[in-house]
Amino acid sequence: MKGKEWYQADDVAEEYESKRFSRGGRLIDRREKEAVLSALGPVEDRDVLEIACGTGRFSVMLAERGADVVGLDISAPMLAQGREKARAAGVSDAVEFLRGDAARLPFPDDHFDAVFAIRFFHLADTPTKFLSEMARVSEEQVFFDTFNDFSTRVLYTPFLPMGSRLYGRDDVERLLSDAGLDLTDEDHDFVLPYGFYRAIPGGVARAFRTADLALGGTVVGDKLASVSYWNAVVGDGAPGATSGVD
């Protein structure tokens, strides 16, 4: 994984949400949560795994809606933030945070109803392996996002501390096929890059977001979108014949 040491630092975990989801970044947080809820649908009594759960933004949200959630991440400081967030929300009994390797998930085949990952695949050195593992442990659904190679992200990606892998549609289609997943739905958003929104006040960001959404509703907007959300179901050919647990 790119930038492992940077990501696992205590100060990165402490400042993660304040740097990304304050000011105009609140719009990004809201949109990502909407995307997860829309993709997963009703989650009450469903078993859900979040890969690269970070500080638990989504895991806690889903637990509050009745899901039984496992959040997995490589960063102990991030997981500590997630546990505190779950405790404060009163859902510690419904969400478990584990430190682990997404390339070798410590769960049997078909263990979860749904598996998802947000802001993960741009860091993945071996995306096929990661997606295949997600498909293996999911009985029904896999949902994830990618950052796109035909967007403004190409201008600043080389300067990010963790780097970033950018994807075209052909790349995603190959990943899905190799993992035995069938695409059911997709959505594309944010012509203006995340970094722009985070740099401006919330009121100003809302005005730009209105323009962004208007452009994003066109064919050109889809092609220029910074992020894509991919919703897939586990097909008959999905990996799962061999358990990942010894």
Side-chain angles (χ1 to χ4, degrees):
M1 294 288 291
K2 299 177 180 178
K4 270 188 178 182
E5 294 78 10
W6 175 87
Y7 179 73
Q8 297 182 75
D10 289 342
D11 60 336
V12 171
E14 291 170 1
E15 299 175 353
Y16 185 80
E17 293 199 19
S18 63
K19 283 190 172 182
R20 287 161 178 77
F21 308 121
S22 61
R23 295 166 61 83
R26 292 189 180 94
L27 296 174
I28 302 168
D29 179 56
R30 186 182 308 154
R31 176 63 177 100
E32 289 179 334
K33 288 176 177 174
E34 288 173 352
V36 170
L37 291 174
S38 176
L40 298 186
V43 296
E44 187 172 1
D45 297 326
R46 295 185 81 194
D47 293 317
V48 179
L49 170 65
E50 181 184 1
I51 301 294
C53 65
T55 59
R57 284 190 300 139
F58 306 111
S59 291
V60 171
M61 175 186 72
L62 296 175
E64 289 177 317
R65 286 163 172 75
D68 293 312
V69 186
V70 174
L72 183 137
D73 202 277
I74 62 169
S75 169
M78 291 280 189
L79 293 170
Q81 296 266 343
R83 293 187 187 101
E84 175 57 27
K85 190 173 294 183
R87 186 201 62 76
V91 295
S92 294
D93 291 343
V95 56
E96 180 181 10
F97 290 100
L98 298 176
R99 191 177 187 190
D101 182 1
R104 182 175 170 78
L105 296 174
F107 310 106
D109 300 343
D110 305 329
H111 189 66
F112 297 95
D113 297 311
V115 179
F116 76 99
I118 297 294
R119 298 201 189 204
F120 172 67
F121 278 90
H122 67 294
L123 306 175
D125 294 322
T126 55
T128 300
K129 188 173 185 178
F130 290 125
L131 192 60
S132 293
E133 272 291 273
M134 292 172 68
R136 179 184 67 78
V137 302
S138 178
E139 186 175 20
E140 301 171 6
Q141 180 183 16
V142 172
F143 175 67
F144 63 101
D145 67 342
T146 58
F147 290 141
N148 300 325
D149 63 1
F150 196 68
S151 70
T152 53
R153 292 191 68 91
V154 301
L155 300 176
Y156 62 89
T157 285
F159 306 103
L160 298 175
M162 296 182 69
S164 188
R165 178 187 290 268
L166 304 181
Y167 294 80
R169 184 180 181 85
D170 289 346
D171 300 320
V172 174
E173 289 179 342
R174 282 193 295 271
L175 284 175
L176 292 167
S177 177
D178 290 344
L181 292 167
D182 298 323
L183 183 65
T184 60
D185 190 30
E186 63 187 90
D187 199 7
H188 313 279
D189 206 346
F190 286 103
V191 176
L192 296 172
Y194 285 173
F196 172 79
Y197 283 102
R198 290 198 295 263
I200 59 178
V204 177
R206 284 191 291 274
F208 278 101
R209 180 65 174 148
T210 299
D212 196 325
L213 287 169
L215 179 57
T218 67
V219 174
V220 173
D222 274 355
K223 290 185 179 298
L224 297 176
S226 294
V227 62
S228 293
Y229 302 102
W230 310 95
N231 199 11
V233 294
V234 179
D236 294 337
T242 303
S243 173
V245 178
D246 292 332

